[in-house]
Amino acid sequence: MKLVLFDCDGTLVDSQHVIVAAMTRAFARAELALPPREAVLGIVGLSLVEAMRRLGDDDPHFPAERLADLYREAFRELRTEPGFFEPLFPGVRGVLDKLSAREDVLLGIATGKSQRGVAAVLGHHGLDGRFVTIQTADDAPSKPHPAMVLQAMAATGVHAEDTVLIGDTSFDMVMARAAGARAIGVTWGYHPRETLRQSGAERLVSDADTLVGVIDEMWEPVA
Ligand SMILES: [Mg+2]
């Protein structure tokens, strides 16, 4: 059996508009200057408090916990407002359909989102039940700690060499490799190709329609 683990934000769904909007509200309510958009998108994928710490340059006096609370509150509000949703990236539904139909593949998620956040995304897109293991910031240390991948492998009984993580950031690549798993970087998310390559991506994919083929090539026995 093979295990294909997906990151969520920047890999399955394009959440940048709602993330930037929630960050803007959180920093405004804390009366702090919002960091540049590139900095905000650069921390997507980390758990919330860890993400805020990085935005505060690891300054111990930076109110990371309070900002995380303000962000959660803003995100909850935004979800109820029209116009804020997290669309699937082009081709992603086709990838999930193809992989779900395979008897040799299990699907999972490893994300800095909460269980509640993942459930909202999957429900919105009619993807409930596709993923046999969902690892989140609620249950494990922030990426790039390998715990989410290790827990997903333990939950499914799949070995590291048969596990591949698909993600858009260096945090994903480092996490996967630290767990002994394979790593594929997708270039439609929030970190540049070079960052993905340098952090351990074995392959880079820029078109979702080619992803299943790349996964299969990766698992072909070396002649
Ligand atoms: Mg991501």
Coordinates of all heavy atoms in Angstrom, one line a residue, residues 7-13 15 44-46 110-112 143 166-169 171-172 189-190, ligand 1:
D7 N -0.5 18.5 1.6 CA -0.6 19.7 2.4 C -2.0 20.4 1.9 O -2.5 20.0 0.8 CB 0.6 20.7 2.1 CG 0.3 22.1 2.4 OD1 0.0 22.3 3.6 OD2 0.4 23.0 1.6
C8 N -2.5 21.3 2.7 CA -3.8 21.9 2.3 C -3.6 23.3 1.6 O -3.8 23.4 0.4 CB -4.7 22.0 3.5 SG -6.4 22.4 3.1
D9 N -3.3 24.3 2.4 CA -3.2 25.7 1.9 C -2.0 25.8 0.9 O -0.9 25.5 1.2 CB -2.9 26.7 3.0 CG -4.1 26.7 4.0 OD1 -5.2 26.8 3.6 OD2 -3.8 26.6 5.2
G10 N -2.3 26.3 -0.3 CA -1.3 26.4 -1.3 C -1.0 25.2 -2.1 O -0.2 25.3 -3.1
T11 N -1.6 24.1 -1.7 CA -1.4 22.8 -2.4 C -2.7 22.3 -3.0 O -2.9 22.1 -4.2 CB -0.8 21.7 -1.5 OG1 0.5 22.2 -1.1 CG2 -0.6 20.4 -2.3
L12 N -3.7 22.1 -2.1 CA -5.1 21.7 -2.5 C -5.9 22.9 -2.9 O -6.6 23.0 -3.9 CB -5.8 20.8 -1.5 CG -5.2 19.5 -1.1 CD1 -6.0 18.8 0.0 CD2 -5.2 18.6 -2.3
V13 N -5.9 23.9 -1.9 CA -6.7 25.1 -2.1 C -5.9 26.4 -2.1 O -4.9 26.4 -1.4 CB -7.8 25.2 -1.0 CG1 -8.8 24.0 -1.1 CG2 -7.2 25.2 0.4
S15 N -5.8 29.6 -0.6 CA -6.4 30.3 0.5 C -5.8 31.7 0.7 O -6.0 32.3 1.8 CB -6.2 29.4 1.8 OG -5.0 28.7 1.7
V44 N 2.6 30.7 5.5 CA 1.5 29.8 5.4 C 1.9 28.4 5.4 O 2.9 28.0 4.7 CB 0.7 30.1 4.1 CG1 -0.5 29.1 3.9 CG2 0.2 31.5 4.1
G45 N 1.3 27.6 6.3 CA 1.7 26.2 6.4 C 2.2 25.9 7.8 O 2.1 24.8 8.3
L46 N 2.7 26.9 8.4 CA 3.1 26.7 9.8 C 1.9 26.8 10.7 O 0.9 27.3 10.3 CB 4.1 27.8 10.2 CG 5.4 27.9 9.5 CD1 6.2 29.2 9.9 CD2 6.2 26.7 9.8
A110 N -1.8 16.6 5.7 CA -0.9 17.1 6.8 C -0.9 18.6 6.7 O -0.3 19.1 5.7 CB 0.5 16.5 6.7
T111 N -1.4 19.3 7.6 CA -1.6 20.8 7.5 C -1.4 21.6 8.7 O -1.7 21.0 9.8 CB -3.1 21.0 6.9 OG1 -3.3 22.4 6.8 CG2 -4.1 20.5 7.9
G112 N -1.1 22.8 8.6 CA -1.0 23.7 9.7 C -2.4 24.3 10.1 O -2.6 24.9 11.1
K143 N 4.8 22.0 11.4 CA 5.8 21.8 10.4 C 7.0 22.7 10.6 O 6.7 23.8 11.1 CB 5.3 22.0 9.0 CG 4.1 21.2 8.6 CD 3.5 21.7 7.3 CE 2.2 20.9 7.0 NZ 1.6 21.2 5.7
I166 N 3.0 15.8 -0.7 CA 2.9 16.8 -1.8 C 2.6 18.1 -1.1 O 1.6 18.3 -0.4 CB 1.7 16.5 -2.7 CG1 1.5 15.0 -3.0 CG2 1.7 17.3 -4.0 CD1 2.5 14.4 -3.9
G167 N 3.5 19.1 -1.3 CA 3.4 20.3 -0.6 C 3.9 21.5 -1.4 O 4.7 21.3 -2.4
D168 N 3.6 22.7 -1.0 CA 4.1 23.9 -1.7 C 5.1 24.7 -1.0 O 5.5 25.8 -1.5 CB 2.9 24.8 -2.0 CG 2.4 25.5 -0.7 OD1 2.0 24.8 0.3 OD2 2.3 26.7 -0.7
T169 N 5.5 24.2 0.2 CA 6.5 25.1 1.0 C 7.7 24.2 1.4 O 7.7 23.0 1.5 CB 5.9 25.7 2.2 OG1 5.6 24.6 3.1 CG2 4.7 26.5 1.9
F171 N 8.6 24.0 4.4 CA 8.2 23.4 5.6 C 7.7 21.9 5.3 O 8.0 21.0 6.1 CB 7.1 24.1 6.3 CG 7.3 25.6 6.4 CD1 6.3 26.5 6.0 CD2 8.5 26.2 6.8 CE1 6.5 27.9 6.0 CE2 8.7 27.5 6.9 CZ 7.7 28.4 6.4
D172 N 7.0 21.8 4.2 CA 6.5 20.5 3.8 C 7.7 19.5 3.4 O 7.7 18.4 3.8 CB 5.6 20.6 2.6 CG 4.4 21.4 2.9 OD1 3.7 21.0 3.9 OD2 4.1 22.4 2.2
G189 N 1.8 27.1 -5.4 CA 1.6 27.7 -4.1 C 2.4 28.9 -3.7 O 2.6 29.7 -4.5
Y190 N 2.9 28.9 -2.4 CA 3.4 30.1 -1.9 C 4.9 30.2 -1.7 O 5.4 31.2 -1.2 CB 2.7 30.4 -0.5 CG 1.2 30.3 -0.7 CD1 0.4 29.7 0.3 CD2 0.5 30.8 -1.8 CE1 -1.0 29.6 0.1 CE2 -0.8 30.8 -1.9 CZ -1.6 30.1 -1.0 OH -3.0 30.1 -1.1
Ligands
MG1 MG 1.0 24.9 2.0

